[in-house]
Amino acid sequence: MRVLDSHLHLWDPSRLDYPWLEGPLAARFAGAELAETDTAGAAVFVQAECLEAQFLDEVRWVAESAPATGVVGIVAGARLDRGAETEAHLVALAELALASGARIVGVRHLLQGEPDGTATSEAFLAGAASVAARGWAFDACVRPPQLPDVTALAAALPELRIVLDHLGKPAVGTAPVPLVPDAAWIRDIGDLAVHGNVAVKLSGLPAEAGGSWDATQVAPFLDVVADAFGPDRLLWGSDWPVSAVGPEGYRAGDRTAWLDAVAGWAEDRGLDVDAVLWRNAARVYGLA
């Protein structure tokens, strides 16, 4: 079984600063810790929201550690609504890729904490257009009320490849008290999927469940995005280590548990498991 993890985080607080880290996540999660998860394969690293001033340093560090982590592509941190500052940062990213060999395949401006409408502002659209011109994808990490903004972005820039992180973070409840997919989320996912330049990551639901999840609980949410996006725009991602924290703390085995859950679901639904676990991510991120 080939695996290309489309959503892997790595960090080392002794190297870079991550103000948001707390609890079990406020520790080093890099090559040695990743090896303990027993999930072999390649991965796309997604920026871990270090300090903005360290975005380029994060790319350098991840590129240096790539042989030990299996990282074959990097989704770098970038603020896309800063005008000339955004353009200068994208230029610096491209130059760093040439100088270091870092394989930059996309950028992420973390939208989940931004005001609604950020992704449709004139400044953001200009920055996103510059991302598209470089052939990079954009990772959209949003909360459900922000899904219409991502749809508007996709409509405004059909040349921009957009990857929706974590199914848009729907409320899934917990294994003992599961929730059913919300009607508004189902509607907004359907509206977004109309745009062929958008794909979705099957990732992050364990974190949304606070680490208390099971395959039966999450299957209805996977079904919704599969019905909306079709089999060729579904990408498995571990969201490691964020989605490997449960009520008892960090659990190395949860990365493999999520892989097994999604692979089993895909097989049960008659989907091409290799496409979900490998080929779709390789194509969307230009790694094929």
Side-chain angles (χ1 to χ4, degrees):
M1 183 170 64
R2 298 192 299 173
V3 176
L4 174 52
D5 186 344
S6 70
H7 202 96
L8 177 78
H9 298 297
L10 301 164
W11 58 73
D12 184 348
S14 72
R15 294 285 299 266
L16 300 170
D17 299 306
Y18 306 86
W20 64 276
L21 290 182
E22 61 182 9
L25 292 176
R28 182 181 187 272
F29 288 97
E33 294 76 20
L34 183 64
E36 295 174 353
T37 66
D38 294 329
T39 299
V44 173
F45 167 82
V46 177
Q47 63 95 212
E49 204 63 3
C50 61
L51 291 177
E52 183 179 348
Q54 298 174 340
F55 280 173
L56 294 178
D57 294 325
E58 182 179 52
V59 171
R60 291 187 188 94
W61 175 66
V62 171
E64 291 168 2
S65 61
T69 58
V71 168
V72 295
I74 295 173
V75 175
R79 297 290 184 263
L80 298 186
D81 57 354
R82 304 279 177 81
E85 186 178 331
T86 291
E87 186 61 26
H89 180 68
L90 298 179
V91 168
L93 279 173
E95 291 174 346
L96 176 57
L98 285 174
S100 67
R103 183 73 181 272
I104 295 176
V105 297
V107 302
R108 185 169 79 162
H109 176 143
L110 192 60
L111 290 170
Q112 65 181 14
E114 299 277 23
D116 292 353
T118 297
T120 58
S121 68
E122 182 177 347
F124 192 98
L125 289 173
S130 190
V131 170
R134 288 173 165 80
W136 295 339
F138 172 69
D139 263 49
C141 186
V142 297
R143 297 289 181 185
Q146 297 170 303
L147 284 169
D149 283 351
V150 183
T151 301
L153 175 65
L157 295 173
E159 69 276 18
L160 177 67
R161 282 175 290 121
I162 299 173
V163 188
L164 178 66
D165 293 347
H166 314 326
L167 291 77
K169 295 196 165 187
V172 298
T174 62
V177 189
L179 296 177
V180 299
D182 176 79
W185 174 76
I186 295 173
R187 178 200 65 216
D188 292 339
I189 283 291
D191 291 344
L192 180 59
V194 167
H195 300 279
N197 55 324
V198 185
V200 59
K201 291 184 182 179
L202 309 182
S203 62
L205 297 191
E208 294 307 303
S212 174
W213 65 276
D214 61 33
T216 300
Q217 170 201 1
V218 300
F221 297 88
L222 301 179
D223 288 340
V224 168
V225 295
D227 289 344
F229 283 89
D232 297 328
R233 291 189 284 159
L234 307 175
L235 288 60
W236 176 76
S238 70
D239 188 34
W240 184 85
V242 180
S243 281
V245 173
E248 305 84 22
Y250 170 70
R251 304 176 297 201
D254 275 19
R255 187 177 182 226
T256 300
W258 180 244
L259 173 63
D260 291 343
V262 174
W265 164 83
E267 186 173 10
D268 288 345
R269 299 302 188 268
L271 300 175
D272 185 336
V273 176
D274 186 70
V276 173
L277 300 187
W278 179 282
R279 293 201 315 273
N280 293 345
R283 185 190 72 254
V284 168
Y285 281 118
L287 295 167

